[in-house]
Amino acid sequence: MTATTTRGRPRGFDRAAALEQALDQFWRYGYEATSIAMLTKAMGISPPSLYAAFGDKRKLFGEAVRQYALTWGRYGTQPLEQEPTARAAVERVLRAAAAEYTNPAHPPGCLVISGAMNVAEADADVKEELRGYREAAKRAIAAKIATDVEAGLLPPDTDSDALGSFYAAVIQGMNTQAADGADRAELERIADVAMLAWPAGTGEG
């Protein structure tokens, strides 16, 4: 006898827990390679339950990415919100990336950076969605730097957009290194070198 269902959803269905399992699958394999069969197996539900609770694979992915941004992905936004200077914020982001990208509690790297690799042309909107998150992060770094330029903490000729793009590129490169097996110490060394590029003659020592 099967369990009683409500609109295709099994009794006792834990939506939040199922979403976490879907997030793990998308993070581990990427959008394209993650099938409905893989998702339902990991989530412990049937395809009808998945569709009833989340709509479809595309909508489930979007929700998983939003969940990621609010949880694991906070390593990249909290420092920019909390640190008083751009230098402190950027260095903290790099250190946090080194720790999070190699955290054994979840797949390596960053879902927003690597989740849309090799997507089919029909799923180009998936790539665009993740690119939007990355562009927003890059703009946030540049804005933090621009604020310090205006405050006199950085030289007036500092190109905040270029510097923001540089550190965004470092972060994305650290993701690739983590996916290739780099450990935290290796990523920390990358962060050390990247911070040497910070403009000299600032008011931050």
Side-chain angles (χ1 to χ4, degrees), residues 40-54:
T40 54
K41 181 178 179 181
M43 297 163 78
I45 59 176
S46 65
S49 295
L50 185 152
Y51 295 127
F54 300 101

Side-chain angles (χ1 to χ4, degrees), residues 11-130:
R11 178 184 295 172
F13 175 80
D14 187 333
R15 192 180 189 281
L19 179 60
E20 285 296 326
Q21 291 302 316
L23 167 57
D24 179 86
Q25 293 293 296
F26 286 128
W27 194 349
R28 193 174 302 278
Y29 303 109
Y31 177 81
E32 190 72 16
T34 303
S35 67
I36 291 293
M38 293 165 65
L39 288 166
T40 54
K41 181 178 179 181
M43 297 163 78
I45 59 176
S46 65
S49 295
L50 185 152
Y51 295 127
F54 300 101
D56 57 23
K57 176 183 169 180
R58 178 65 185 89
K59 291 178 182 177
L60 174 57
F61 179 75
E63 187 168 344
V65 172
R66 290 190 292 274
Q67 178 68 10
Y68 174 85
L70 293 171
T71 54
W72 300 109
R74 291 289 286 162
Y75 77 88
T77 54
Q78 281 186 335
L80 297 172
E81 298 166 355
Q82 297 173 352
E83 294 296 334
T85 65
R87 190 185 195 287
V90 168
E91 182 164 13
R92 182 175 156 192
V93 169
L94 294 178
R95 304 294 178 195
E100 284 301 322
Y101 290 179
T102 57
N103 186 342
H106 55 64
C110 170
L111 172 63
V112 169
I113 296 174
S114 58
M117 297 293 186
N118 303 316
V119 296
E121 186 175 343
D123 295 316
D125 62 313
V126 173
K127 184 177 291 187
E128 282 302 303
E129 178 179 352
L130 296 192

Side-chain angles (χ1 to χ4, degrees), residues 10-11 19 26 66 91 97 126 132-133 139 143 145 147 153 166 174 189 192 194 204-205:
R11 178 184 295 172
L19 179 60
F26 286 128
R66 290 190 292 274
E91 182 164 13
V126 173
Y133 279 95
R139 289 194 300 269
I145 294 169
T147 297
L153 294 174
F166 168 76
M174 290 170 68
R189 288 197 294 273
D192 290 339
E204 298 178 280

